[in-house]
Amino acid sequence: MQIVTMHDRWEAYRGESTNSKDLIFTLRKSSLLQLKAKLDVFLADNTKEDVCDFKVKGSWLERSCIVYAGDTNNIVAQMHKKHTIQSILIDKDHFAVTVYPSVDYAFIVALIVILNEINEDDD
């Protein structure tokens, strides 16, 4: 999968393509000024982008986020930092990700990767 960025908008494509027929989803910040991440996700067939297909809310600083179905409170995935002796001793983050049934795991991982990229861009 290739992720293409255009300011506060990210596009995910199949493979190495950037052809519009290979677009999987588009993601953008819900607003320009944010203390915590609020991202709207639009699947490729949602060309109007007036209502999001998924919403990501969270904080990379706190290493937690929740993915909601559309503009609802229905949770489809959650990520949070796991505090373990190993993570404290070697200063390496470990995460727990819960993906609910009928949700594509790779899609959720792609959202988490983009959230990480957004955090690095903001630093």
Side-chain angles (χ1 to χ4, degrees), residues 98-116:
T98 304
V99 180
Y100 289 64
S102 303
V103 178
D104 183 346
Y105 288 73
F107 171 69
I108 299 302
V109 170
L111 295 179
I112 292 170
V113 168
I114 293 171
L115 185 59
N116 180 50

Side-chain angles (χ1 to χ4, degrees), residues 1 9 41 46 51 82:
M1 174 173 24
R9 181 182 180 90
V41 182
N46 184 353
V51 178
K82 283 179 70 175

